[in-house]
Amino acid sequence: MSGRIDAVLGMQWGDEGKGRIVDWYARGYDVVARFGGGDNAGHRIEVGETKLALRLVPSAALHPTVELFVGSGCVVNLEGALDELARLAEVGVDISRVRFSDRAHIVLPDHGVLDRAAESARGEQRIGTTGRGIGPAYADRVSRIGITLGETLDESLFRSRLRAIRSAHERAVPEPSVFPDFREMEDRLLAAAARLRAAIVDGVAYVHDRLAAGKRILAEGAQGTLLDLSFGSYPFVTSSQCTAGGICTGLGVGPSAIGRIIGILKAYTTRVGEGPFPSELHDAAGEHLRAAGREFGTVTGRPRRCGWFDAVAARYAAALNGAHAIALTKLDVLSGLDRVGIVTGYRRGGSPATLAEAGSPDFAVEIEYLDGWNEEIGSARRLGDLPDATRRYISRLETLVGVPIELFSVGPERESLIRA
Ligand code: GDP
Ligand code: IMO
Ligand code: MG
């Protein structure tokens, strides 16, 4: 009997609490694997005194026996990955469990330069990227000039691929001097690749050997469904596939290997970066969410835009992922609001509308308000511990999204969870 791949992924615009939810589910798995994105991700976990913000390494780092895999669909900044591993080793994490697929692509210093230059050229139309070169690295992969981690293992091949990619980048900009000195970059990258060498494996064999041995794999999403390249709020998206479909292309497995999909929804909505956000608040309630939820970017420190739970977007995301169940996070953050809103409909000129129309001037949302609650709920461990108003709110969300909620989080620490 072969193993199975379950998944935990975000169903809003990222930062839903994937890190802490993966940390919770991970105890039932042998391997936790990232299938896409790069160090644009920031996944926080808190276990006792240990607080980590993981970028590339899967969020099971604090489970000593779980294997950690950075899959083929990811993009890896070599020096960033080494720094992250060093930081984890400092807090006692056994980093010999971390493996990187040879098919993952590398993010070069050039990509960061190109990312930031494209953002400033876009002006008012900027995406608000993390500036980490993610878009240009994926673009080079699609253009078939990217460099895989596997190619870094052969020094002369790596050197010639670096020269070729730098030439392509120089042809793409009016002023080639924007890029870092080639020789220096080459030396640094060769040194970094040599240090990462032992952790680079055949990414397809890695997954399939474990499936054949009956091991259980948990796929960890990065970013969120509404940032997905194909189905998100394009063009204000990231450059990778964040939905469940990305598990197949990012780990190299067929759909028959996929088991349960757990979609994470925050009890309200946040977005960092530009682009449409139908349920965004610009009032005291939005300020409350930002302050109480500590909604500041893990990677860039930017204040996150905050708004009500958007049930239209959540239903759309649940459908795109085929979610079997939901983990609802940060419920505690809503305490202290007189009323809590839920976006239940989008309209444009009197007719139902979709997220794709959210930028147009005659776009409007329908909001349903429920009573809020004042009680602190961080110590609740059973649904029965929650105030009636909180229970009415979650039951309404469940009905509107149409998928059962099986886990609720009421604080950032590992134990601050309620099972349905
Ligand atoms: P991710 O990118 O989806 O992993 O989410 P982030 O880690 O970027 O952002 C979620 C933030 O909320 C982190 O700082 C978490 O520690 C915190 N967090 C997660 N769950 C809860 C919760 O239930 N309540 C509160 N108050 N904070 C939480
Ligand atoms: P986690 O995994 C929130 C957003 C950026 C920007 C857009 C494109 O922590 O949820 P990029 O640098 O990817 O080209 O930026 O996507 N973005 C995220 N927002 N959480 C993330 O990751 C994000 N990763 C990218 O803010 O709007
Ligand atoms: Mg994050």
Side-chain angles (χ1 to χ4, degrees), residues 75 104-115 133-148 151 161-172 179 185 239:
V75 288
H105 277 241
I106 65 171
V107 183
L108 296 162
D110 284 20
H111 292 132
V113 172
L114 290 168
D115 188 3
I134 304 301
Y138 277 112
D140 279 352
R141 178 191 189 213
V142 173
S143 301
R144 296 162 294 181
I145 57 168
I147 304 177
T148 66
E151 287 171 326
R161 305 282 287 108
L162 278 173
R163 264 192 300 276
I165 201 168
R166 170 55 68 87
S167 304
H169 291 161
E170 285 178 346
R171 285 194 297 276
F179 296 116
M185 178 182 86
S239 298

Side-chain angles (χ1 to χ4, degrees), residues 38 129 176 202 263 360:
T129 72
D202 177 334
S360 51

Side-chain angles (χ1 to χ4, degrees), residues 11-12 16 21 24-25 260-268 309-311 314-315 318 323-331 334 342 370 373 382-383 386 389-410 417-420:
M11 299 216 296
Q12 291 155 324
E16 299 89 349
I21 296 294
W24 189 80
Y25 280 99
R260 289 186 90 226
I261 306 289
I262 318 290
I264 310 181
L265 290 169
K266 197 172 338 198
Y268 50 96
F309 185 88
D310 184 337
R315 259 187 98 85
H324 294 95
I326 283 166
L328 188 73
T329 57
K330 304 192 81 162
L331 202 48
L334 296 176
I342 306 173
L370 276 68
W373 59 91
R382 289 171 311 168
L383 283 177
L386 295 174
T390 318
R391 281 190 283 161
R392 278 197 294 274
Y393 179 68
I394 60 189
S395 146
R396 187 71 185 125
L397 295 192
E398 194 166 47
T399 304
L400 288 167
V401 181
V403 178
I405 307 177
E406 68 175 30
L407 194 66
F408 303 85
S409 83
V410 290
L417 287 168
I418 301 174
R419 269 193 268 187

Side-chain angles (χ1 to χ4, degrees), residues 15 42-43 298 304:
D15 303 325
H43 297 178
T298 307
R304 294 174 182 152

Side-chain angles (χ1 to χ4, degrees), residues 10 13-18 34 38-44 54-55 115 119 127-136 220-224 227 235-240 270-275 298-300 302 304:
W13 277 283
D15 303 325
E16 299 89 349
K18 294 175 291 293
R34 276 275 303 270
D39 60 7
N40 46 348
H43 297 178
R44 280 191 190 276
L54 296 150
R55 299 264 167 95
D115 188 3
E119 279 286 89
I127 296 166
T129 72
T130 58
R132 299 197 154 246
I134 304 301
E220 171 176 350
Q223 290 71 54
L227 287 170
F236 301 96
V237 294
T238 190
S239 298
S240 59
T270 61
R271 171 160 209 177
V272 55
E274 306 303 317
T298 307
V299 175
T300 57
R302 290 178 287 180
R304 294 174 182 152

Side-chain angles (χ1 to χ4, degrees), residues 56-75:
L56 267 173
V57 173
S59 301
L62 297 180
H63 292 271
T65 61
V66 176
E67 293 182 60
L68 308 167
F69 183 56
V70 180
S72 305
C74 295
V75 288

Side-chain angles (χ1 to χ4, degrees), residues 179-321:
F179 296 116
D181 177 74
F182 182 76
R183 275 293 174 74
E184 204 177 296
M185 178 182 86
E186 186 183 46
D187 288 348
R188 278 172 48 189
L189 293 177
L190 283 164
R195 290 175 58 205
L196 212 55
R197 164 177 284 273
I200 300 171
V201 296
D202 177 334
V204 173
Y206 180 96
V207 169
H208 287 274
D209 287 353
R210 281 157 183 75
L211 287 175
K215 294 201 172 176
R216 287 172 54 82
I217 301 179
L218 182 66
E220 171 176 350
Q223 290 71 54
T225 301
L226 304 175
L227 287 170
D228 179 82
L229 177 62
S230 306
F231 299 104
S233 47
Y234 191 89
F236 301 96
V237 294
T238 190
S239 298
S240 59
Q241 316 291 340
C242 320
T243 58
I247 302 167
C248 291
T249 52
L251 292 181
V253 296
S256 56
I258 312 290
R260 289 186 90 226
I261 306 289
I262 318 290
I264 310 181
L265 290 169
K266 197 172 338 198
Y268 50 96
T269 314
T270 61
R271 171 160 209 177
V272 55
E274 306 303 317
F277 183 176
S279 69
E280 185 167 14
L281 290 165
H282 298 283
D283 60 5
E287 278 306 321
H288 169 103
L289 298 174
R290 189 172 306 108
R294 299 191 183 170
E295 297 295 355
F296 296 89
T298 307
V299 175
T300 57
R302 290 178 287 180
R304 294 174 182 152
R305 299 157 66 193
C306 296
W308 297 128
F309 185 88
D310 184 337
V312 184
R315 259 187 98 85
Y316 169 71
L320 285 170
N321 290 301

